[in-house]
Amino acid sequence: MPRRLEPLRDPVKLHFDGRAIVAERGEPAAVSLLAAGHLAIARSPKFHRPRGPACLRAACDGCLARVDDVPNVMTCRVPAADGMRIETQNVVGSVDTDLLRMSDWFFPEGMNHHELFAGVPGVQQVMQALARRVAGLGRLPAGEIEPPREAHRRQVDALVVGAGPAGMNTALLLVKQARRVEVVDDALVWGGSARALPGEAAGPWSALIEAFSNAVVMGDLRLRMRTTAAAIFGEDVLLAGEEGLELATPGTLVIATGAHDGVLPFEGNDLPGILSARAAGWIASLGVELGERVVVVLADGGGPFGEACASVIRGATLVKGTPLRAGGSSRVKEVTVATASGEQTLRCDALVVDAPRAPAYELAAQAGATLAHEPRGFVVHTDEAGRVRGRVYAVGEVTGTALHPAAMARAAAAAVESLAPPAAP
Ligand code: FES
C-alpha cells in the first residue's frame, strides 16, 4: 500500500466518492488519491478495465474523474484543495466493483458495440442505450453552462514554452539579455523533469531550480503555470489557460517541451500501480511511497529516473531488462521481465518502468520543424543554435539533448547567443 513518509505541512480534506481523504494542499489530486491507497481511479471507456495514474503529466487516461461536478478532469493536473469533491465516472457500482466490467469478460475477442444486435427490433434500442453507457465518458455538469470567453491577441517579447530544465535555462539567459520573458507550462508546478529526480539525483539540478525560483520571485520573468501552448499558426501561438484563450505573437519563441514518458508494449501494462519512472520520481519527491514491494524496471535506453527512484524507495528492486507481462486484476501484483540472465518473475504492489523517452515534438512540428524518426520517437532537428526557423527555437530534450545539467545549459546558451536583438515593438 502507498503511504506518506512525512507529516502533512498544510493538510486539506478532499472527498473521493464520498470518503474523506486528508491531503497536502496544492499537490496533484491524483497523488492525494494514490497516497490514500486509491490506485484505481478510472475505468477504460469500453471494456471498463481499471485504470490508475501512470504519467502525472496529462498523457494517459488513468486519472480521469469528475471534480467538483466537472467531468473528465485529469486529476494529476488539479491541485488538492479543501472541500474538493472527486467522483469516479463511467461506472455502474463503484470504481472498485464496476458491473460494466462484464463487457470485458463476455467479449474476450473484442466487441463492436455500434453493430451489436443492430437490426433486431426491440433489442436494438436496448443495446444502443447500453452502448452509450458502456462507451460514454462522464456526464455533463449539472450547473450553469459557462458563457464563452473572448480570446484576445497580444505581443510577447520572448515566449518560452516549457518550464523544465531547457526552458528554465533559456529563460534565465534571456532575462540576462534584458528580454521581457514569459514562460508558460501546462503543469501544476515548474521544474519539469528536474523535480522528478528524488534523493541525491536532485543535487545537480538544485542551482538551476534556485536561480529560476529567484527570478520568478524577483519578477524578472513572467511565469504562467497551467497554461497550454495549444497550437502555432504562422507567427502566432494559441495559449489556453485559466484566464481563457490568447493569441500571442512572440518576438522570439523557444519551444522547450521536453519529452514524453516512454511506454513499452507488454501484456497488462495498463494495470493500476504501473507508473512511468518520471511519475514515480515526482511522487517520491513529494514524500509518498508507492508500495511495500516496488519493482523498478530499467529498460535499455531508459534513465535516469528509475535508478533515482530505486535509490529512495525502501526495499525497491531494480531490474535491468524488458517487461514481458504484468499480472493482476484490479492492480498490478507481479511482473515478468526479460533480463540478460533469462526471464524473472517478481511479486510487486507497484511497478515503475523507466523506458526511453520520446521528444515532445508536436508543437515544433507545427512551427515547421524537420523531424527525424528514431526508435524512441520523432526528434526535432534544428541548426546548431537550436533554430527551427526565423525566431523560432527548439531547445532541450525535444531536440534529443540529454537530460544532463551541463548539456541543457549548453543548448540554451547556443540558442540565446545566436539571437539577434528583438524586433522593434
Ligand atoms: S493523465 Fe493524469 S496520470 Fe496520466
Side-chain angles (χ1 to χ4, degrees):
M1 278 286 280
R3 66 186 189 110
R4 288 187 190 274
L5 298 176
E6 291 154 20
L8 296 169
R9 290 182 305 276
D10 187 3
V12 291
K13 198 192 273 183
L14 330 178
H15 300 275
F16 180 52
D17 284 344
R19 284 165 286 183
I21 287 172
V22 181
E24 186 76 79
R25 185 189 304 279
E27 70 182 0
V31 172
S32 309
L33 299 179
L34 282 172
H38 300 288
L39 289 183
I41 295 174
R43 287 271 166 174
S44 69
K46 189 167 170 181
F47 290 110
H48 290 252
R49 294 172 186 155
R51 291 279 187 268
C55 68
L56 293 189
R57 65 189 308 270
C60 71
D61 61 358
C63 70
L64 279 185
R66 190 176 186 89
V67 177
D68 292 337
D69 205 33
V70 178
N72 297 323
V73 174
M74 285 177 169
T75 52
C76 65
R77 286 299 206 228
V78 288
D82 212 26
M84 178 178 267
R85 283 178 299 113
I86 304 174
E87 296 160 88
T88 52
Q89 53 182 25
N90 199 31
V91 297
V92 172
S94 70
V95 72
D96 298 323
T97 319
D98 178 9
L99 296 180
L100 291 173
R101 178 78 200 275
M102 286 188 296
S103 56
D104 198 8
W105 299 325
F106 280 135
F107 303 96
E109 303 300 323
M111 173 218 337
N112 180 354
H113 61 275
H114 297 288
E115 292 180 4
L116 204 62
F117 293 105
V120 182
V123 184
Q124 171 176 292
Q125 283 71 18
V126 175
M127 282 313 300
Q128 275 175 353
L130 179 69
R132 287 196 190 106
R133 187 69 197 249
V134 167
L137 208 52
R139 287 173 293 108
L140 289 172
E144 298 265 304
I145 294 174
E146 231 183 270
R149 286 179 280 181
E150 219 168 279
H152 57 275
R153 269 185 176 279
R154 65 193 181 90
Q155 304 285 321
V156 181
D157 179 11
L159 177 66
V160 179
V161 180
M168 290 191 287
N169 269 301
T170 315
L172 289 172
L173 291 172
L174 286 166
V175 166
K176 278 195 188 147
Q177 286 201 346
R179 301 290 299 268
R180 293 185 307 285
V181 181
E182 184 166 321
V183 182
V184 295
D185 195 302
D186 58 4
L188 277 183
V189 292
W190 54 268
S193 293
R195 285 201 191 268
L197 285 162
E200 286 184 9
W205 297 99
S206 57
L208 176 61
I209 295 267
E210 192 183 334
F212 192 76
S213 172
N214 288 341
V216 173
V217 170
M218 298 305 290
D220 296 339
L221 52 82
R222 183 178 181 209
L223 173 67
R224 295 167 69 198
M225 300 307 299
R226 304 184 75 189
T227 302
T228 303
I232 293 179
F233 304 100
E235 303 307 311
D236 298 329
V237 183
L238 177 67
L239 299 176
E242 289 176 318
E243 297 149 36
L245 287 179
E246 284 174 1
L247 216 44
T249 310
T252 300
L253 172 62
V254 179
I255 299 169
T257 40
H260 300 296
D261 291 337
V263 178
L264 297 178
F266 60 93
E267 184 183 329
N269 68 354
D270 56 354
L271 282 168
I274 301 180
L275 291 101
S276 79
R278 178 159 50 185
W282 193 23
I283 291 169
S285 62
L286 291 171
V288 174
E289 197 167 71
L290 270 176
E292 284 153 18
R293 213 180 317 180
V294 180
V295 171
V296 180
V297 179
L298 177 56
D300 200 20
F305 301 99
E307 280 172 318
C309 282
S311 72
V312 299
I313 300 175
R314 251 180 333 141
T317 307
L318 178 68
V319 189
K320 291 191 178 171
T322 308
L324 297 176
R325 60 192 159 274
S329 172
S330 56
R331 57 179 296 172
V332 66
K333 295 218 169 97
E334 65 174 34
V335 59
T336 302
V337 186
T339 69
S341 55
E343 283 188 19
Q344 221 180 319
T345 298
L346 298 142
R347 302 284 298 168
C348 59
D349 57 4
L351 171 62
V352 173
V353 180
D354 193 348
R357 291 183 303 288
Y361 68 92
E362 295 83 353
L363 204 60
Q366 286 189 26
T370 305
L371 307 176
H373 188 254
E374 295 182 6
R376 61 183 162 156
F378 290 98
V379 181
V380 171
H381 274 202
T382 63
D383 70 9
E384 282 186 2
R387 195 190 323 262
V388 170
R389 65 166 163 86
R391 292 172 174 276
V392 180
Y393 289 74
V395 180
E397 281 194 284
V398 68
T399 65
T401 302
L403 183 59
H404 183 278
M408 287 290 168
R410 270 198 305 275
V416 175
E417 272 164 26
S418 81
L419 278 169

